[in-house]
Amino acid sequence: MVHAFLIHTLRAPNLEDTGLCRVLYSCVFGAEKSPDDPRPHGAERDRLFRKEQILAVARQVESLCRLQQQASGCSSTDPQPQFSAESVSLHEAPHGAFHLAAGDPFQEPQTVLWLGVLSLGFTLVLDTHENLLLAERTLRLLARLLLDHLRLLTPAVSTGAVYCQTHLSR
């Protein structure tokens, strides 16, 4: 089961002072209550708890993406490519998976699958027994569709050229 899907920012390697990781979009499926607290919780407190969990996952993904880019020899002075009408190769994008132990930050152990495209991180939080190949294909499909949608919203690109590029290249 998918527990969460999020889109967040990714910073370039070795650029610690450019701002914090920001969650741009998140969708949590199911409700997990705050652990070790017998008092009843309000909806606002549970929402803040979920927000903290999602931000913790986004930060871990950002750290792993930066480590992967540094290990592969990506220069920190190279600017990240800007969003353009050119198609982004999702097969060459940094990606990975890691496990979260119970209590870090979720009550149950989870698997996190992530994909870094341009300066965006696309992340799925899954049960530990899920099919990772299927989840990776789904994540790449979601990322491609969302990037195609964003490309249509870019003012510098003519709509006809994007339509032809998007629909005729399939």
Side-chain angles (χ1 to χ4, degrees):
M1 176 176 150
V2 175
H3 287 277
F5 171 68
L6 55 145
I7 303 171
H8 54 90
T9 59
L10 296 174
R11 293 178 288 171
N14 294 331
L15 295 180
E16 282 80 14
D17 60 342
T18 60
L20 299 174
C21 175
R22 293 187 180 193
V23 175
L24 304 174
Y25 173 82
S26 68
C27 185
V28 177
F29 307 101
E32 184 173 84
K33 301 291 183 191
S34 306
D36 303 326
D37 193 352
R39 294 178 296 166
H41 300 116
E44 181 65 18
R45 185 168 176 179
D46 287 336
R47 186 188 69 78
L48 289 174
F49 180 66
R50 282 191 305 272
K51 189 175 179 179
E52 289 173 3
Q53 290 175 320
I54 293 300
L55 186 56
V57 170
R59 287 179 180 152
Q60 288 180 348
V61 168
E62 181 184 46
S63 294
L64 287 173
C65 184
R66 289 172 40 173
L67 284 173
Q68 189 179 83
Q69 289 174 339
Q70 289 173 346
S72 68
C74 289
S75 171
S76 64
T77 59
D78 294 340
Q80 287 196 334
Q82 296 297 315
F83 193 77
S84 67
E86 300 173 10
S87 63
V88 177
S89 175
L90 296 180
H91 294 292
E92 297 173 6
H95 63 282
F98 61 94
H99 293 283
L100 296 171
D104 181 31
F106 300 100
Q107 291 177 3
E108 299 293 324
Q110 304 290 330
T111 298
V112 176
L113 186 66
W114 60 272
L115 175 67
V117 183
L118 301 174
S119 60
L120 296 175
F122 297 90
T123 304
L124 284 175
V125 179
L126 313 158
D127 282 338
T128 56
H129 64 275
E130 289 299 320
N131 181 337
L132 291 181
L133 183 59
L134 179 61
E136 180 183 357
R137 288 181 181 170
T138 302
L139 184 60
R140 287 182 189 276
L141 176 64
L142 277 170
R144 183 178 58 85
L145 292 173
L146 289 169
L147 289 170
D148 284 348
H149 181 72
L150 288 175
R151 190 174 297 120
L152 289 173
L153 297 176
T154 305
V157 179
S158 71
T159 306
V162 171
Y163 178 83
C164 290
Q165 176 189 355
T166 304
H167 295 286
L168 299 179
S169 64
R170 293 181 186 163

